[in-house]
Amino acid sequence: MDALIYLNGEKVDYENAKVSVEDRGFLFGDGIYEVIRVYNGRFFYLNRHIERLKKGAEQIYLDLDFGVENLVETIKKAVKESGFKDASVYVQVTRGAAPRQHAFPSNTKCTWLVIVREVKPQPQEYYENGVMAITVPDERWTRCNIKTVQLLANCIAKEKAKRAGAYEAIFHRGDIITEASSSNVFMVKDGKIFTHPANNLILHGITRYAVLEIIKNNNFELYEETFSKEKLFEADEVFLTGTMTEVMPIVKIDGKIIGDGVPGKITMKIMEDFRRLTETIDC
Ligand code: PMP
């Protein structure tokens, strides 16, 4: 079995997991999502993902009519039934199906989906040697803190990275580095760690937050401040954070070598602490 699916609280076969052609997720991208990682049967901050989903729902005036407790129970049940020890849980909630009109319909019920898939770890050499990134203009809207399914700008950016043989595309809005197509960006200069502040221009990553806690525990110097593209190229170390990305060192950007061209000391320490966290956290 490749994927275990619950649609609107019911377990369904892949072939029968279908939604209406007038679902607002399909027509308007009118929905939000989460991707949650399970390590050896333990949830990595499921609680924080649920809090972010609730916040996103409020921001788009979406009533989670099925009940958040119901969702959490369904997620836990689905992971257990899948038998997968290392898994990803994709959760999507849309405003449901209604005749196509921009304004929100009054009597629809949410469509809510849970997909559990087994996760194979990324190649070890990515973490050991680091990977490449490219930079691309951030062409998204200005509410990137909402984890909406409207991801076309992110998809285009990731496709550009793929075509360039790179792992990830790093966004710049004007001259400022915001985040990447599916991860947050950190850089280290002279022992100081910088990352874009958690405002409306980036997704407030769960992994980003876990890494901020690691940084504080290590007494590293942290600056949640914007930095320019130029500063990114002058960095000693650059790394990404994300649920599926984990903590990933970047050693080359737009063909230019970052630092010594190998994962830096601070990045390695954060990766090590992050790995340990994935072996303990279960909430
Ligand atoms: N930024 C963007 C644009 C993303 O899509 C993701 C991955 N969902 C992240 C950052 C990282 O967030 P998280 O650590 O919660 O997975």
Side-chain angles (χ1 to χ4, degrees), residues 32-257:
I32 50 178
Y33 77 106
E34 287 292 328
V35 182
I36 304 137
R37 188 71 161 79
V38 176
Y39 289 97
N40 198 19
R42 290 180 305 269
F43 283 101
F44 192 73
Y45 293 122
L46 170 62
N47 53 358
R48 295 180 182 181
H49 283 277
I50 295 295
E51 283 312 308
R52 184 169 66 185
L53 187 81
K54 277 162 61 178
K55 230 184 247 177
E58 273 171 31
Q59 282 162 319
I60 66 164
Y61 311 103
L62 179 64
D63 175 23
L64 302 174
D65 55 16
F66 47 84
V68 171
E69 273 313 304
N70 190 9
L71 171 63
V72 171
E73 286 314 306
T74 304
I75 291 171
K76 288 183 175 169
K77 189 163 61 178
V79 169
K80 205 173 242 176
E81 285 175 4
S82 78
F84 300 143
K85 289 284 167 218
D86 291 291
S88 67
V89 184
Y90 179 79
V91 175
Q92 178 170 328
V93 184
T94 76
R95 209 178 303 273
R100 188 182 179 281
Q101 280 188 353
H102 287 55
F104 301 157
S106 45
N107 289 319
T108 52
K109 281 171 76 182
C110 287
T111 303
W112 58 290
L113 170 68
V114 175
I115 305 180
V116 182
R117 278 208 156 85
E118 189 166 29
V119 169
K120 300 268 182 266
Q122 302 189 78
Q124 191 53 33
E125 72 239 34
Y126 285 12
Y127 298 101
E128 281 170 10
N129 305 333
V131 295
M132 293 192 292
I134 59 167
T135 59
V136 297
D138 194 339
E139 293 168 331
R140 300 173 300 163
W141 69 338
T142 51
R143 302 189 69 186
C144 304
N145 53 315
I146 304 173
K147 202 164 167 57
T148 145
V149 294
Q150 302 180 99
L151 289 171
L152 191 51
N154 306 58
C155 293
I156 292 171
K158 187 75 98 187
E159 176 63 20
K160 282 184 182 167
K162 186 179 161 192
R163 290 183 186 188
Y167 178 87
E168 181 55 303
I170 295 175
F171 285 129
H172 57 90
R173 200 178 277 271
D175 194 35
I176 299 298
I177 297 296
T178 50
E179 57 178 336
S181 78
S182 63
S183 52
N184 290 112
V185 177
F186 286 72
M187 72 107 162
V188 184
K189 184 67 183 174
D190 299 329
K192 297 173 177 153
I193 307 174
F194 294 83
T195 195
H196 195 286
N199 61 14
N200 60 310
L201 297 181
I202 66 161
L203 184 76
H204 304 186
I206 305 301
T207 321
R208 175 187 182 278
Y209 192 68
V211 163
L212 292 188
E213 290 173 329
I214 289 171
I215 289 170
K216 280 172 200 151
N217 290 340
N218 277 283
N219 291 318
F220 291 144
E221 242 182 287
L222 170 71
Y223 297 85
E224 282 185 84
E225 289 175 8
T226 58
F227 54 90
S228 67
K229 196 169 152 184
E230 192 186 335
K231 291 280 180 224
L232 181 74
F233 286 110
E234 289 168 3
D236 300 323
E237 306 178 28
V238 175
F239 63 89
L240 306 172
T241 65
T243 295
M244 303 309 291
T245 309
E246 303 179 305
V247 180
M248 183 64 73
I250 298 290
V251 294
K252 212 186 239 188
I253 304 175
D254 292 344
K256 298 183 191 79
I257 288 175

